[in-house]
Amino acid sequence: MSIFVNRETRLVVQGITGRDGSFHARQMMEYGTAVVAGVTPGKGGQKFEGRVPIFDTVAEAVAEAGANTSVIYVPARFAVDAILEAADAGISLIVCITEGIPVLDMVRALPYVRERGCRLIGPNCPGAISPGESKVGIIPAQICRPGSIGVVSRSGTLTYEIVHQLSRAGLGQSTCIGIGGDPIIGTSFIDCLAAFEADPATEAVVLIGEIGGTDEQEAARYVKEHMTKPVVGFIAGQTAPPGRRMGHAGAIISGSSGTAAEKMEALRKAGIGVMARPAEVVPLLRERMGR
Amino acid sequence: MNLHEYQARALLKAAGIPVPDGEVVTTPEEAEAAARRLGGKVVIKAQVHAGGRGKAGGVKLAGSPEEARARARDILGMTIKGLVVKRVLVVPAAEIASESYAGIIVDRASQKPVVMVSPAGGIDIEEVAARTPEKIFRVAVDPRYGLLPHQAMGLAFKLYRQIDQVRAAARILEQLYRVFIDAGASLVEINPLATTPDGKVLALDAKLVVDDNELERRPEIAAMRDLDSEAPEEVRAREAGLSYIKLDGTVGCCVNGAGLAMATMDLVKYYGGEPANFLDIGGSSNPQKVVAALEIITADKNVRVILFNIFGGITRCDDVARGIVEATGKTPLDRPLVIRLTGTNEDQAVAILKEAGFSALTDMDEAVRQAVALAKERA
């Protein structure tokens, strides 16, 4: 078992003929993800890699190929419409990898997506992988191992670093999910924590946060009130100066709020094991899991 | 992207918000002439992207055109938080009866634009939020409808009693919301939103931050970028597609991914060093980006050692290795390099580096420890 992506995932790749879309579609197919369709307007009727049907619209990909999940690799200026198209077509999970989408566009798109009963992961995220089952996005599969640790993160490569440490130590993952570095995102830490808590295959959770906003503080409160499984956490940006955006649009300390120190304190107070550096993830998890 | 006050007030004015006249000048003589046109008694305000201008001496009252010239001479050329003042805004010194605050942000928690007002204006709103949070009033806006008239009125009633002032403030809030949406802003503020002794409601200061992701489709806003007011190395980095922020330490960092870049800086500190910068070479890094990154890092004279931390995913380690070899082939490095690479095409990368006489590590902690030790040796 796992969360969000699994053996039931039937994936349509929006932007399958683009540079990033085609590269990652191949990677996902090699991993064993059921890539059932691609969408590129004007290329309907063609085949990707000789076997995956390409459609002009997501609606056709749903009707004819039975897609239930979509991953989006289209450029930023087309990405919001791609999200809304997937929601209109009845896709239940949309993973948007694209970065650079204006925040106000997401503010308008999210209620639209949610009203249609659809979950969005991202944008500006690496996607999700349930090792041994399915991969949707760009997380390098070779660093993951099947297992019982849930990983949720706002970052990309920092997640890989921590997953790599877990796998090397024999701690496999149920699902690794990157929720994205933008200020407005479709799936929060809390959504993932709740899903991990409910997932029988997940024994413990690693939460990887960073400076900016208060999502980690809210996650900490949720863990304290609702979770029985052990959680350990890491917050990036302890040395970040206030007022400067550190790469991610969401990673900015404004005034006195959003600092790493504040977030680490909130995690600690909620009983979450806090790492001072990524390499502490394995010993800390082992301690919390009692093995 | 931050706009200057004079740019933000021009946008407000264009939207119909009452903003006093003002002129932007670059010399004391021009300041004097502007003061004469504006009625003599003026305020001279430094135009730099830094908070706390007033405390730093960048905002001065002048009682006459001659004094305006002298105050402008004081302020032009002064340094506020590392930024040299090249322009000042000259505005008439308004008589003020009250000072309030009005602002709009995108709120991460409600995932909506939130309009905020406070009768405690004229001071830093974060201070108000910390000390007297009950004096801040908020409305979350449904982005599909925009700020509704009754919402604007409801907020305005928190500021004023007189119905004329309430209506004026409500109109300003609706206009401000339009500026926020039309400019693709992530923050817009009027502080203070003032009343004059004769009862007018005026925007006396304006702050506007534009979402960088909006700039591509808003060339007229993008054209307001003031390259002079940004650190030159940060401008260069942006042009090269890199995200770079200079800090004060000695360990130069070159990393792929913002989260890992921050974690690398934190680890430098953990092992007793100080990071010289934040630098994210981004996702699909080509060798040219690495060349540019190395040039920017080595231009910082405080840097004693350069640390690469690359976790290959979309970024291919061999691309980074090729960039390192190319950059150091052109201009040999005068400072040591510590390279950590792991992930996609790691083996090819190690071979490329080896042939050029470099060695590479695979463990992040080990690489950071070595870099910090080298920085200390070279102190």
Side-chain angles (χ1 to χ4, degrees), chain B residues 67 193 209 333 340 365 376:
Chain B
E67 206 187 327
L193 177 70
V209 182
L333 280 181
R340 182 275 177 134
D365 281 63
K376 285 191 174 154

Side-chain angles (χ1 to χ4, degrees), chain A residues 124-267:
Chain A
N124 188 17
C125 78
I129 180 169
S130 298
E133 296 187 44
S134 186
K135 159 178 154 162
V136 176
I138 63 174
I139 296 176
Q142 69 273 18
I143 59 169
C144 303
R145 300 278 175 279
S148 63
I149 309 297
V151 178
V152 56
S153 171
R154 265 166 77 183
S155 156
T157 47
L158 175 57
T159 315
Y160 310 163
E161 180 72 47
I162 288 176
V163 169
H164 183 58
Q165 308 251 6
L166 292 175
S167 294
R168 271 197 314 193
L171 291 168
Q173 305 90 40
S174 53
T175 301
C176 306
I177 171 167
I179 58 175
D182 280 1
I184 302 292
I185 50 178
T187 295
S188 67
F189 277 128
I190 291 177
D191 296 332
C192 298
L193 291 169
F196 279 132
E197 176 71 14
D199 172 33
T202 300
E203 282 182 69
V205 179
V206 180
L207 183 150
I208 304 160
E210 61 189 33
I211 56 164
T214 54
D215 298 9
E216 290 80 0
Q217 290 90 319
E218 282 143 32
R221 207 170 310 131
Y222 183 86
V223 168
K224 193 176 165 121
E225 288 168 11
H226 300 285
M227 283 192 73
T228 58
K229 296 176 183 178
V231 180
V232 303
F234 178 75
I235 306 290
Q238 296 166 51
T239 47
R244 302 304 309 269
R245 166 181 158 174
M246 306 300 270
H248 291 159
I252 181 165
I253 301 169
S254 47
S256 57
S257 78
T259 65
E262 200 179 318
K263 288 172 188 249
M264 289 164 83
E265 184 56 27
L267 297 187

Side-chain angles (χ1 to χ4, degrees), chain B residues 294 298 306 324-337 358:
Chain B
L294 262 174
T298 50
I306 299 155
I324 294 173
V325 171
E326 191 180 319
T328 52
K330 264 196 267 172
T331 24
L333 280 181
D334 53 356
R335 280 157 278 186
L337 194 58
F358 293 106

Side-chain angles (χ1 to χ4, degrees), chain B residues 7-51:
Chain B
Q7 296 169 323
R9 69 203 296 286
L11 290 177
L12 263 53
K13 207 167 195 171
I17 296 175
V19 178
D21 290 332
E23 294 185 30
V24 186
V25 300
T26 57
T27 66
E29 293 69 31
E30 289 170 359
E32 181 180 347
R36 218 173 286 284
R37 284 190 290 269
L38 293 167
K41 197 175 173 192
V42 294
V43 181
I44 312 282
K45 305 173 92 175
Q47 299 295 292
V48 283
H49 296 312

Side-chain angles (χ1 to χ4, degrees), chain B residues 2-293:
Chain B
N2 291 315
L3 298 192
H4 283 302
E5 178 192 359
Y6 75 89
Q7 296 169 323
R9 69 203 296 286
L11 290 177
L12 263 53
K13 207 167 195 171
I17 296 175
V19 178
D21 290 332
E23 294 185 30
V24 186
V25 300
T26 57
T27 66
E29 293 69 31
E30 289 170 359
E32 181 180 347
R36 218 173 286 284
R37 284 190 290 269
L38 293 167
K41 197 175 173 192
V42 294
V43 181
I44 312 282
K45 305 173 92 175
Q47 299 295 292
V48 283
H49 296 312
R53 286 177 305 175
K55 280 179 203 155
V59 179
K60 291 268 167 67
L61 184 70
S64 66
E66 293 71 31
E67 206 187 327
R69 177 200 196 101
R71 295 291 83 78
R73 185 173 297 124
D74 296 343
I75 295 172
L76 284 163
M78 77 184 286
T79 304
I80 301 177
K81 292 187 181 162
L83 299 166
V84 179
V85 179
K86 294 188 174 161
R87 289 186 195 84
V88 291
L89 175 66
V90 185
V91 290
E95 280 209 59
I96 294 171
S98 76
E99 290 186 310
S100 303
Y101 167 93
I104 308 174
I105 54 159
V106 176
D107 175 45
R108 298 167 67 132
S110 65
Q111 303 194 317
K112 287 176 178 152
V114 168
V115 181
M116 298 179 292
V117 299
S118 174
I123 50 170
D124 188 359
I125 194 65
E126 274 158 350
E127 220 167 282
V128 180
R131 285 196 200 158
T132 49
E134 72 281 1
K135 286 189 183 162
I136 298 182
F137 302 92
R138 299 178 175 81
V139 164
V141 177
D142 183 327
R144 293 168 294 185
Y145 292 94
L147 180 66
L148 299 167
H150 76 269
Q151 294 174 320
M153 285 293 279
L155 288 169
F157 274 115
K158 303 291 185 191
L159 300 180
Y160 307 118
R161 295 242 168 80
Q162 275 191 15
I163 190 67
D164 291 352
Q165 291 186 336
V166 172
R167 287 192 199 286
R171 193 160 51 240
I172 289 172
L173 291 176
E174 288 184 58
Q175 288 160 330
L176 192 64
Y177 186 80
R178 210 157 309 130
V179 170
F180 180 78
I181 297 295
D182 291 347
S186 49
L187 174 139
V188 62
E189 278 181 347
I190 300 175
N191 192 17
L193 177 70
T195 55
T196 57
D198 59 354
K200 287 199 191 88
V201 184
L202 290 174
L204 289 193
D205 195 353
K207 184 177 176 185
L208 201 151
V209 182
V210 180
D211 177 359
D212 288 347
N213 293 342
E214 296 270 5
L215 294 173
E216 197 187 316
R217 63 185 181 189
R218 295 178 201 279
E220 73 292 351
I221 303 271
M224 292 183 184
R225 191 186 283 283
D226 175 13
L227 295 178
D228 276 354
S229 69
E230 295 175 50
E233 63 276 8
E234 290 177 14
V235 175
R236 263 210 69 208
R238 191 175 55 242
E239 282 164 358
L242 309 167
S243 174
Y244 172 86
I245 292 168
K246 191 182 174 318
L247 303 169
D248 298 327
T250 57
V251 179
C253 301
C254 182
V255 187
N256 66 320
L260 189 61
M262 285 189 275
T264 304
M265 291 157 56
D266 295 348
L267 203 56
V268 166
K269 181 99 178 173
Y270 179 88
Y271 284 116
E274 289 291 339
N277 61 276
F278 166 90
L279 194 155
D280 172 13
I281 58 169
S284 42
S285 62
N286 61 34
Q288 283 317 308
K289 274 196 180 178
V290 179
V291 172

